[in-house]
Amino acid sequence: DHDHTPTETMMNGDAWTSGKPLLADNYVELLDLAHESGYGTISITYHGLIDENLNVMGSEVYPLTGVFSGADTEKVIARVYEYNKQNPTRTFRINIGVTLGRHNNSRRSLIRYAHYFNKLNVASVRFNNFTDHGGRHPDLPMSKVEIEQVYRDMKWLHE
């Protein structure tokens, strides 16, 4: 924060994951270990598109392959909340990171993400700009003008 007060995520310890380990059969053991290690927040990078009915679209329409799907992230979120329900003294917050590119940078997409993650009771959502590190997706990075528009749309959304 501006006054250097730690955020809730910082105070709770932040375990970043793709989500994939928490889809395995031993997810309860992993969450127990996370709690015992001092983590109180599970942060997941989200790779999915949301339709007009706030449902995750199939991974075949998502432009990146080999990433943990939005549908699987939804399953992991449900598992974490079930864990919270079963362990009321060991609860986790859920944070989501969404990478924005030309495939999902519209105001309509931002609104859908906001409503979708509110519906899933996610504690916070962070957006970051897609960078094509490997040069395999030259059509996805946003231009300076598009990035500026995303910031205006986010401001509008917050207001």
Side-chain angles (χ1 to χ4, degrees):
D1 289 341
H2 295 292
D3 63 357
H4 301 285
T5 303
T7 64
E8 191 172 349
T9 297
M10 293 166 72
M11 293 184 336
N12 286 327
D14 194 13
W16 275 94
T17 179
S18 66
K20 187 173 183 175
L22 296 175
L23 201 57
D25 291 341
N26 69 337
Y27 76 95
V28 171
E29 294 169 40
L30 293 174
L31 291 171
D32 284 341
L33 180 60
H35 176 76
E36 291 161 11
S37 299
Y39 292 105
T41 300
I42 305 295
S43 291
I44 305 169
T45 302
Y46 187 80
H47 296 286
L49 300 174
I50 308 301
D51 70 17
E52 63 277 355
N53 297 312
L54 304 182
N55 296 309
V56 180
M57 297 169 73
S59 59
E60 71 280 355
V61 299
Y62 194 73
L64 302 175
T65 58
V67 295
F68 195 67
S69 75
D72 284 340
T73 300
E74 195 172 287
K75 292 173 190 171
V76 168
I77 291 169
R79 283 182 167 196
V80 171
Y81 285 136
E82 181 59 29
Y83 178 92
N84 288 352
K85 192 169 136 185
Q86 300 297 322
N87 302 280
T89 62
R90 311 180 118 201
T91 60
F92 290 97
R93 297 171 76 247
I94 299 274
N95 288 352
I96 296 290
V98 178
T99 302
L100 295 177
R102 288 193 173 137
H103 61 294
N104 63 349
N105 69 345
S106 69
R107 182 180 278 194
R108 185 179 70 214
S109 288
L110 294 174
I111 291 168
R112 287 179 183 174
Y113 283 126
H115 287 302
Y116 174 74
F117 289 117
N118 281 341
K119 178 178 90 168
L120 293 180
N121 200 30
V122 167
S124 61
V125 179
R126 180 179 64 93
F127 294 99
N128 50 14
N129 186 25
F130 176 80
T131 301
D132 188 17
H133 296 290
R136 296 182 332 167
H137 302 283
D139 53 320
L140 294 183
M142 294 183 285
S143 68
K144 182 179 186 291
V145 170
E146 290 167 319
I147 293 168
E148 290 168 350
Q149 184 60 51
V150 166
Y151 275 106
R152 284 191 294 274
D153 289 342
M154 280 196 223
K155 181 179 182 213
W156 171 85
L157 188 60
H158 279 281
E159 289 173 346

